[in-house]
């Protein structure tokens, strides 16, 4: 495959950027010409940010899987689409060529149809990182069902909330999943989730760990049995459903500053164009290269840069089931060495964690295949950046620091590997089509360079969020109402003298723990579920490995053993949300610093959690200023 829209040098970047701003419709029409459409669009873009209403390629008809699979069959049928590496280094890896993947996706799409799934139905996918996860995802897209992939670390309660919100009647899961030394009982978690979801009609269970599972008559079926049925039906092909450009492709839940996670909705055409365009340009993918994105498909990074971006580009995408430290901290480097990985895309938290193990597990590996390194999910500190660049890339691989969000569908601000310069800890420049701006608290744009403010985007790009599922008003309020006429990212940002962007972190009540987004309100709700907890307040604090750690201030009723209570609270959070949201520190307090109007002054709690108690600023507006000293003394 060739990519006529791949930018090759700095001049081309500048020209593309300028054109994307001056003539956005022409610019994106030219990119979109390179995809397979069942019917061409009537208009390239219609939009307003006030409702919001954003329509890219209106009137166009397509199926994203024809772009990810069918179109590669003529020339690249035998190119590996997915290379899969097991959690267990002793287990043989798997390779699925485009031809094989196409066959399996069609086959499972027929399984979904046999089980009653129709266009527009929501299908929840709760699986480990095995090829069947990609197959199930693409099979949904094939028949126009809306997938909602839920990360395997979420609890039954969290799944149940999401199933209800999306009214998902179909589930695809596994018996269990392997991660490091753990065997996660995925089906059993689903069973617990379904107690509160009687509307679920069918659970398709794929075999992975062969842990004992309960199979309920009339509801639960085995993936393998269903495949056999399709085979006895003579394995008919599965025609790709004709989708409208703006039909929903998937829902992905993400946390925000309110208690309930929201279902971010992406649509077929814009998301396809955006993930493909950004994949090809940021990573500078060349046919034949092996692309290894270490994320889980349960997060947006996996959706966009393991599945849709790479496959729509005919690339070879490596999928890894395990974790970076199993069986030892050299596992990523083993995988790079084994499959001659060319592009490695991972998170700062993984880099910092692996750094702490020293170079012994790095230097005995052949990493010479690497050509591009990528970082995503949180700000990358200079030290981690340098370590990555020197020890992994041997100072010959550009590092792309890619800033984006679940809501943006794909990368918005990043250097383009080897094409535009990198700069440690800077995401650098916007992609063509992205018009960032910085605003002050009052919403006034801060122009010029060497400034900082809240990061907003002025103009839609094809991959922008369209709505939050079943609650359009929430989408408007969260992203389009803080600053009139702008999409608000929730991030603080600095623009240096050369116009490079550096993301400084969230300015709302959202934490970023190991690259995972956790809303403080959601976490407080979970902690408050514990029977002895009266009230709690969560703040983030700098954490060497996780980026941000979770610090909980808890008012607790009772005289129980505090260490045991801490464990009980952590267990409550694990039960309500999942282990990823467990607090790192829990401080018991007698009260929380509140203003006379009852608002918790998080600024003070943040400073105490950071250990920066020298100057807590003005505390005179507090209801009880003496409380602050007590909290300070008890700080952990
Ligand atoms: C938030 C989005 C993007 C996919 C993974 C996370 C932070 C993301 C960077 C980066 C600094 C970053 C932001 C953003 N973030 N990438 N390269 N530099 N910060 O997706 O869960 O939707 O979180 O992650 O704060 O708002 P997400």
């Amino acid at each position: 495959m060739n990519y006529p829209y791949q930018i090759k040098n700095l001049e081309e970047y500048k020209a593309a950027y300028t054109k994307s701003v001056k003539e956005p419709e022409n610019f994106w029409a030219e990119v979109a010409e390179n995809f397979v459409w069942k019917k061409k669009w009537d208009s390239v873009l219609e939009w307003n940010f006030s409702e919001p209403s954003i329509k890219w390629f209106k009137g166009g008809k397509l199926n994203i899987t024809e772009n990810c699979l069918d179109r590669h069959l003529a020339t690249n049928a035998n190119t590996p689409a997915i290379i899969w590496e097991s959690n267990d280094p002793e287990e043989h890896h798997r390779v699925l060529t485009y031809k094989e993947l196409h066959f399996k996706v069609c086959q499972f799409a027929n399984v979904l149809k046999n089980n009653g799934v129709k266009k527009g139905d929501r299908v929840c996918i709760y699986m480990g990182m095995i090829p069947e996860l990609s197959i199930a995802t693409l099979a949904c897209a094939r028949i126009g069902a809306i997938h909602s992939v839920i990360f395997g670390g979420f609890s039954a309660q969290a799944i149940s909330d999401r199933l209800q919100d999306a009214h998902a009647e179909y589930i695809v899961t596994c018996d269990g999943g392997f991660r490091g030394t753990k065997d996660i009982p995925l089906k059993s978690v689903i069973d617990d989730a379904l107690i509160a979801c009687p509307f679920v009609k069918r659970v398709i269970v794929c075999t992975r760990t062969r842990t004992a599972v309960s199979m309920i008559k009339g509801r639960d079926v085995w993936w393998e049995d269903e495949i056999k049925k399709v085979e006895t039906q003579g394995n008919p092909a599965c025609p790709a459903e004709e989708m409208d450009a703006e039909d929903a492709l998937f829902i992905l839940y993400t946390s925000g500053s309110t208690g309930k996670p929201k279902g971010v909705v992406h649509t077929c055409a814009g998301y396809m164009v955006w993930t493909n365009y950004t994949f090809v340009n940021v990573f500078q993918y060349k046919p034949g290269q092996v692309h290894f994105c270490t994320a889980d498909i349960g997060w947006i990074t996996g959706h966009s840069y393991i599945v849709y971006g790479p496959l729509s580009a005919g690339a070879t995408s490596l999928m890894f089931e395990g974790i970076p430290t199993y069986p030892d901290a050299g596992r990523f480097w083993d995988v790079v060495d084994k499959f001659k990985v060319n592009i490695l895309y991972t998170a700062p938290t993984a880099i910092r964690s692996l750094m702490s193990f020293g170079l012994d597990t790095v230097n005995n590996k052949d990493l010479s295949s690497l050509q591009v390194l990528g970082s995503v999910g949180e700000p990358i500190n200079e030290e981690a950046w340098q370590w990555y660049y020197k020890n992994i890339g041997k100072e010959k691989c550009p590092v792309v620091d890619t800033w984006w969000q679940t809501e943006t569908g794909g990368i918005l601000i990043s250097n383009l590997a080897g094409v535009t310069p990198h700069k440690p800890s800077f995401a650098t420049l916007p992609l063509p089509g992205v018009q960032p701006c910085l605003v002050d608290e009052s919403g006034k744009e801060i122009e010029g360079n060497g400034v900082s403010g809240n990061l907003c985007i002025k103009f839609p790009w094809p991959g922008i969020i369209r709505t939050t599922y079943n609650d359009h008003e929430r989408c408007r309020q969260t992203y389009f109402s803080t600053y009139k006429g702008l999409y608000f990212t929730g991030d603080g940002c600095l623009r240096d003298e050369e116009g490079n962007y550096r993301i400084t972190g969230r300015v709302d009540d959202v934490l970023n723990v190991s690259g995972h987004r956790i809303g403080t309100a959601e976490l407080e709700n979970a902690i408050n579920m514990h029977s002895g907890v009266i009230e709690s307040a969560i703040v983030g604090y700098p954490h060497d490995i996780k980026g941000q750690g979770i610090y909980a201030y808890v008012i607790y009723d009772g005289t129980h053993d505090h260490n045991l209570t801490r464990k009980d609270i952590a267990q409550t959070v694990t039960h309500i949300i999942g282990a990823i949201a467990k607090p790192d520190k829990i401080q018991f307090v007698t009260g929380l610093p509140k203003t006379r109007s009852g608002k918790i002054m998080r600024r003070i709690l943040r400073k105490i959690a950071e250990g920066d108690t020298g100057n807590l600023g003005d505390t005179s507006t507090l209801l009880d200023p003496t409380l602050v000293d007590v909290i300070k003394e008890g700080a952990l």
Side-chain angles (χ1 to χ4, degrees):
M1 221 186 154
N2 65 335
Y3 318 110
Y5 44 89
Q6 190 171 51
I7 296 164
K8 291 184 197 65
N9 53 53
L10 192 58
E11 286 62 47
E12 281 188 23
Y13 163 73
K14 287 181 184 155
Y17 189 80
T18 306
K19 178 161 181 179
S20 78
V21 173
K22 290 203 170 131
E23 311 167 46
E25 299 199 18
N26 289 338
F27 182 86
W28 289 110
E30 280 168 27
V31 174
E33 300 280 358
N34 295 283
F35 294 81
V36 177
W37 297 84
K38 288 177 186 284
K39 174 185 168 285
K40 212 181 151 174
W41 55 89
D42 301 319
S43 71
V44 178
L45 173 63
E46 288 178 18
W47 70 289
N48 72 68
F49 274 175
S50 50
E51 292 178 55
S53 166
I54 303 154
K55 294 188 166 65
W56 279 98
F57 312 110
K58 190 175 160 191
K61 304 281 180 193
L62 76 160
N63 187 292
I64 196 169
T65 69
E66 287 190 326
N67 287 276
C68 289
L69 301 169
D70 304 62
R71 73 156 152 170
H72 306 310
L73 297 183
T75 47
N76 286 319
N78 298 319
T79 300
I82 294 177
I83 298 176
W84 175 79
E85 170 73 358
S86 165
N87 178 62
D88 175 1
E90 302 298 319
E91 182 177 353
H92 206 277
H93 67 272
R94 290 169 62 185
V95 178
L96 294 177
T97 63
Y98 273 95
K99 189 173 161 197
E100 289 162 337
L101 183 61
H102 175 265
F103 178 79
K104 284 182 183 289
V105 168
C106 290
Q107 209 181 29
F108 193 68
N110 284 327
V111 166
L112 291 174
K113 285 200 282 194
N114 281 348
N115 280 277
V117 182
K118 285 188 273 314
K119 179 175 179 173
D121 286 345
R122 276 78 56 219
V123 178
C124 158
I125 302 177
Y126 185 69
M127 301 171 83
M129 282 285 286
I130 55 175
E132 285 67 22
L133 166 52
S134 298
I135 292 167
T137 303
L138 291 162
C140 286
R142 187 78 175 175
I143 64 170
I146 301 170
H147 57 75
S148 165
V149 183
I150 300 179
F151 173 62
F154 279 112
S155 71
Q157 180 66 52
I159 296 167
S160 174
D161 292 345
R162 287 158 174 76
L163 289 173
Q164 288 172 30
D165 187 78
H167 199 78
E169 295 175 326
Y170 303 93
I171 296 178
V172 186
T173 188
C174 293
D175 47 359
F178 293 123
R179 268 173 76 78
T181 55
K182 294 202 190 94
D183 168 353
I184 296 145
L186 297 166
K187 172 60 165 64
S188 162
V189 178
I190 287 290
D191 289 336
D192 289 346
L194 294 195
I195 294 169
C197 304
F199 52 84
V200 170
K201 293 180 180 156
R202 190 71 80 237
V203 182
I204 302 174
V205 186
C206 181
T207 305
R208 172 60 185 140
T209 57
R210 207 47 194 100
T211 325
V213 293
S214 117
M215 294 292 284
I216 302 295
K217 191 177 292 168
R219 191 194 70 185
D220 302 350
V221 295
W222 289 106
W223 172 300
E224 295 76 11
D225 291 347
E226 296 304 299
I227 293 286
K228 282 204 196 90
K229 281 186 207 160
V230 171
E231 279 167 358
T232 55
Q233 290 162 357
N235 255 329
C238 178
E241 188 73 32
E242 181 171 294
M243 302 299 287
D244 194 87
E246 284 296 338
D247 278 339
L249 173 64
F250 66 84
I251 306 171
L252 186 57
Y253 284 87
T254 189
S255 297
S257 42
T258 57
K260 202 173 138 243
K262 41 187 179 283
V264 172
V265 175
H266 285 290
T267 56
C268 296
Y271 177 80
M272 169 183 76
V273 169
W274 190 245
T275 52
N276 178 286
Y277 183 83
T278 53
F279 173 73
V280 161
N281 280 298
V282 171
F283 302 104
Q284 289 289 304
Y285 186 82
K286 305 287 181 303
Q289 286 185 326
V290 176
H291 172 78
F292 176 20
C293 166
T294 70
D296 191 290
I297 293 177
W299 308 109
I300 191 70
T301 308
H303 281 61
S304 301
Y305 299 109
I306 296 178
V307 182
Y308 291 111
L311 298 182
S312 66
T316 297
S317 182
L318 198 152
M319 225 181 134
F320 173 45
E321 183 183 35
I323 57 170
T325 49
Y326 178 81
D328 62 48
R331 191 64 194 281
F332 276 0
W333 325 128
D334 285 327
V335 175
V336 168
D337 191 341
K338 179 170 173 186
F339 297 104
K340 304 295 161 224
V341 168
N342 306 109
I343 305 169
L344 174 66
Y345 190 31
T346 194
T349 187
I351 298 167
R352 287 190 300 261
S353 151
L354 297 177
M355 265 167 79
S356 70
F357 290 90
L359 291 172
D360 289 353
T361 55
V362 177
N363 289 342
N364 56 350
K365 310 288 152 58
D366 178 6
L367 304 181
S368 61
S369 57
L370 286 173
Q371 294 174 350
V372 175
L373 300 177
S375 170
V376 60
E378 51 177 315
I380 180 164
N381 48 310
E382 173 111 29
E383 194 193 352
W385 194 101
Q386 294 293 354
W387 187 88
Y388 197 30
Y389 180 64
K390 287 202 177 99
N391 298 300
I392 306 306
K394 316 291 181 195
E395 299 188 15
K396 62 177 183 49
C397 304
V399 176
V400 290
D401 178 357
T402 64
W403 173 83
W404 57 297
Q405 311 177 298
T406 304
E407 296 84 347
T408 69
I411 299 162
L412 292 202
I413 305 181
S414 174
N415 49 311
L416 312 182
V419 169
T420 64
H422 60 210
K423 176 168 181 177
S425 80
F426 280 76
T428 73
L429 299 173
L431 273 277
V434 177
Q435 301 185 31
C437 66
L438 303 181
V439 298
D440 66 17
E441 293 299 327
S442 69
K444 203 169 143 293
E445 182 169 353
I446 305 166
E447 309 214 33
N449 287 341
V451 293
S452 41
N454 288 346
L455 178 62
C456 293
I457 317 286
K458 286 180 176 177
F459 194 87
W461 60 98
I464 189 173
I465 180 176
R466 300 303 198 272
T467 189
T468 45
Y469 192 76
N470 241 334
D471 194 351
H472 192 64
E473 173 57 15
R474 190 157 176 217
C475 174
R476 190 191 67 79
Q477 273 193 9
T478 313
Y479 309 104
F480 299 95
S481 73
T482 317
Y483 303 112
K484 203 170 171 286
L486 301 175
Y487 166 83
F488 177 43
T489 65
D491 279 317
C493 181
L494 174 156
R495 186 167 52 219
D496 75 1
E497 294 300 339
E498 282 83 49
N500 290 305
Y501 290 86
R502 172 193 206 151
I503 314 305
T504 48
R506 303 287 307 194
V507 293
D508 51 8
D509 291 324
V510 171
L511 306 185
N512 190 326
V513 181
S514 302
H516 298 150
R517 199 151 133 184
I518 299 171
T520 52
E522 193 186 347
L523 194 41
E524 286 161 9
N525 288 347
I527 291 182
N528 296 347
M529 297 278 285
H530 183 280
S531 61
V533 171
I534 294 168
E535 202 183 353
S536 62
I538 299 290
V539 297
Y541 71 96
H543 187 288
D544 283 349
I545 301 217
K546 299 180 178 187
Q548 261 186 320
I550 301 174
Y551 197 116
Y553 295 91
V554 173
I555 308 177
Y556 183 72
D557 165 34
T559 50
H560 304 292
D561 176 307
H562 269 175
N563 279 329
L564 201 53
T565 305
R566 283 197 179 91
K567 286 186 190 153
D568 289 345
I569 291 174
Q571 190 54 33
T572 309
V573 170
T574 304
H575 182 68
I576 305 289
I577 305 177
I580 48 168
K582 263 200 276 197
D584 296 282
K585 293 183 180 178
I586 299 175
Q587 179 182 350
F588 293 103
V589 293
T590 52
L592 294 167
K594 288 188 180 171
T595 60
R596 272 169 247 277
S597 60
K599 213 173 155 304
I600 298 174
M601 272 183 103
R602 286 169 193 279
R603 177 178 57 80
I604 292 176
L605 293 177
R606 242 177 255 128
K607 286 219 159 189
I608 296 175
E610 284 166 13
D612 173 18
T613 50
N615 177 19
L616 291 178
D618 183 13
T619 56
S620 63
T621 57
L622 286 177
L623 203 56
D624 177 7
T626 60
L627 198 60
V628 173
D629 289 325
V630 184
I631 299 179
K632 242 162 64 176
E633 269 159 40
L636 301 168

